[in-house]
Amino acid sequence: MMLIVPVGLSERPKHFPKGLTALTVAVWLAALAQFVFLSRNDFAPAAKEQWFELFGYDPAKPHWWKAFTALLVHADFWHSIVNLAGLWLFGCFVEAELGWQKFLALGLVAHLTALKAQGAFWLWQGLLDPSRLVGSSAIVAFVMGTFCLRFRHIGLRWRAIYGWRWRTQEFSTPLWLLIALWLVAQIWSLVSQNPEKPVVAHLTSFAVGAIVAFGLGWHRLAICDQLKRQAEVAEREGRWEEAASIWCQLALRSQNPSDDWLAAAHNFLKAGKREKAEEAICKSLGHLFWNESALNRACQIAAELKVQDLSPEILLSLAEQLERHRRYSEALTLFQKVAEVAEFKGAPQALLKVAELSWRLGEEGKSRQALHLFWLRYSQTPWRQKAAELAAQLRWRGEK
């Protein structure tokens, strides 16, 4: 005996869907009004036809306002439930990516375009009295079109319960399979010579969604997300060089690649590829702005034991960048490593930074020790004046 039940999605939307909530409330209010009207007329077929005539979209007699009211009117309870289920299943992710204003605006454009296309198709078929168009299925088709290009990785998780001990096993199926089956059914209905169904409206709205997603570059974002997941899996499994190579591919595709270059450098460093790690860090340093992800990755690099294998020039530049972003502890660690390379021309500067950051972090003894070491090693260098100014500043702060 086996029982398979759905347990959720592999990923959740980022934000609460305001637009979908407003649309759902409007649909339920329209359904309530429709139920009250039909109940007062004993649910007669003529009453239902009258309701559709008032609020449904008639391609033979198009009224602009009926194109909007038809969005809220459904043939029956199950029609509205199926449409709302599709909206929430796929639309949550689309709205989270677009924002609720753009989501509603583009959804309405797709809906109106679909109605016009369906009317033109029926006119071409020679139908003088076509069916009225009702329901939100055109917007559902729109969100499915955008979903396919951007969120191919999202799946529906299932739990299989089997055996006399009720053992369980989870697996996932991609949501785009449902869309593929729906698309096949729509195309089959189109070629089966049944022009009464609003198949053209569905396919038109689906195409509008795909075009919008392609125009927004969502296909490229989907590829980047896939590469990122592959890189993270390679990292977890300890395939450092492979992960670094994937992060490099991501950096070449990204508009703000600093965190991707640092991720590549981190993995190259773990793999013992010093030159490649230095090259990746240099490319990241070319971008002055680092986001939180880039800073966290730079801090991970600073904490690596193999970071001392990097050249002092790279370490000094990385430490300065961390200091600019107020990651003082990690910057101090790198400045200390640079200061230990006595033959490096930037060692005096690094030692002064050790003194300054140690004082800032409350390690006064360590700060004085660094300044004392500077006077012993570099008292005759051009950095002498800077050291005197720093000593005066630290003395003034201490007295204050």
Side-chain angles (χ1 to χ4, degrees):
M1 179 179 177
M2 177 180 291
L3 179 64
I4 300 178
V5 294
V7 293
L9 299 174
S10 60
E11 186 177 316
R12 293 184 178 182
K14 301 175 183 177
H15 306 290
F16 179 77
K18 298 179 182 178
L20 274 180
T21 302
L23 186 59
T24 302
V25 171
V27 168
W28 281 115
L29 289 176
L32 179 61
Q34 181 177 337
F35 177 79
V36 171
F37 177 81
L38 294 179
S39 63
R40 288 181 176 180
N41 293 275
D42 298 325
F43 296 96
K48 186 174 183 181
E49 184 66 20
Q50 182 183 359
W51 183 264
F52 285 177
E53 184 178 355
L54 289 173
F55 299 107
Y57 181 81
D58 187 351
K61 301 175 183 178
H63 294 86
W64 68 269
W65 59 271
K66 288 188 178 182
F68 294 96
T69 56
L71 174 66
L72 308 176
V73 177
H74 290 83
D76 50 43
F77 175 76
W78 291 111
H79 184 203
S80 61
I81 287 295
V82 169
N83 281 344
L84 288 176
L87 271 176
W88 279 89
L89 184 60
F90 305 107
C92 288
F93 298 96
V94 177
E95 182 182 332
E97 195 81 7
L98 281 175
W100 69 270
Q101 299 96 331
K102 287 184 179 179
F103 171 77
L104 289 179
L106 292 173
L108 287 175
V109 168
H111 171 74
L112 297 175
T113 305
L115 294 183
K116 291 294 184 182
Q118 186 65 60
F121 174 76
W122 278 337
L123 182 63
W124 177 69
Q125 288 283 324
L127 291 178
L128 299 179
D129 188 21
S131 302
R132 292 185 179 88
L133 294 168
V134 293
S136 53
S137 55
I139 291 188
V140 177
F142 165 76
V143 298
M144 287 195 291
T146 52
F147 185 93
C148 278
L149 263 73
R150 179 65 181 90
F151 302 103
R152 297 191 299 268
H153 63 283
I154 294 178
L156 181 63
R157 294 190 295 111
W158 302 84
R159 179 173 295 158
I161 306 173
Y162 58 94
W164 64 276
R165 291 186 177 180
W166 299 107
R167 291 179 295 176
T168 62
Q169 183 178 358
E170 289 193 4
F171 62 95
S172 177
T173 56
L175 279 180
W176 62 261
L177 285 177
L178 294 177
I179 300 175
L181 293 173
W182 173 87
L183 198 58
V184 169
Q186 296 298 312
I187 295 174
W188 178 261
S189 297
L190 181 64
V191 300
S192 64
Q193 301 300 321
N194 189 4
E196 284 295 321
K197 293 184 178 180
V199 177
V200 171
H202 297 161
L203 294 176
T204 301
S205 188
F206 182 88
V208 171
I211 292 170
V212 167
F214 190 83
L216 293 173
W218 282 9
H219 58 294
R220 291 191 294 269
L221 293 177
I223 294 174
C224 289
D225 285 347
Q226 183 180 3
L227 289 173
K228 186 175 181 180
R229 289 190 298 274
Q230 292 175 358
E232 291 172 347
V233 170
E235 280 190 32
R236 287 195 295 268
E237 295 178 356
R239 295 179 277 119
W240 313 122
E241 195 167 358
E242 180 183 343
S245 177
I246 299 175
W247 283 118
C248 287
Q249 295 179 48
L250 269 170
L252 295 174
R253 293 175 177 269
S254 176
Q255 294 181 349
N256 184 27
S258 55
D259 52 340
D260 296 328
W261 284 124
L262 286 172
H266 190 201
N267 284 277
F268 276 133
L269 193 62
K270 287 185 174 183
K273 305 292 182 179
R274 181 181 63 83
E275 294 181 357
K276 291 184 176 181
E278 290 179 350
E279 182 181 357
I281 292 175
C282 285
K283 290 181 178 179
S284 180
L285 290 170
H287 302 270
L288 295 179
F289 174 76
W290 283 6
N291 56 23
E292 194 65 23
S293 177
L295 290 171
N296 291 336
R297 186 67 77 161
C299 292
Q300 293 175 6
I301 292 175
E304 282 289 332
L305 294 176
K306 292 183 179 180
V307 74
Q308 61 189 6
D309 297 336
L310 299 178
S311 65
E313 293 87 356
I314 295 294
L315 291 177
L316 182 60
S317 298
L318 186 59
E320 290 174 338
Q321 184 77 329
L322 286 171
E323 183 191 10
R324 279 193 290 269
H325 288 85
R326 300 187 178 186
R327 298 298 179 98
Y328 298 128
S329 297
E330 292 78 8
L332 176 60
T333 300
L334 296 180
F335 279 129
Q336 287 175 327
K337 295 184 183 299
V338 175
E340 294 172 359
V341 186
E343 64 276 9
F344 175 53
K345 64 180 181 179
Q349 177 188 0
L351 194 53
L352 290 178
K353 284 293 184 181
V354 171
E356 181 182 352
L357 293 181
S358 296
W359 187 277
R360 183 172 294 176
L361 293 173
E363 301 178 11
E364 299 178 10
K366 191 175 181 180
S367 178
R368 293 191 179 94
Q369 183 180 3
L371 272 177
H372 181 69
L373 186 60
F374 176 87
W375 290 112
L376 287 177
R377 290 182 178 178
Y378 309 112
S379 59
Q380 304 303 318
T381 64
W383 292 97
R384 176 188 178 94
Q385 182 63 30
K386 178 68 176 177
E389 294 175 359
L390 178 60
Q393 291 175 4
L394 296 182
R395 190 181 305 112
W396 179 77
R397 291 176 190 172
E399 291 174 355
K400 185 176 179 181

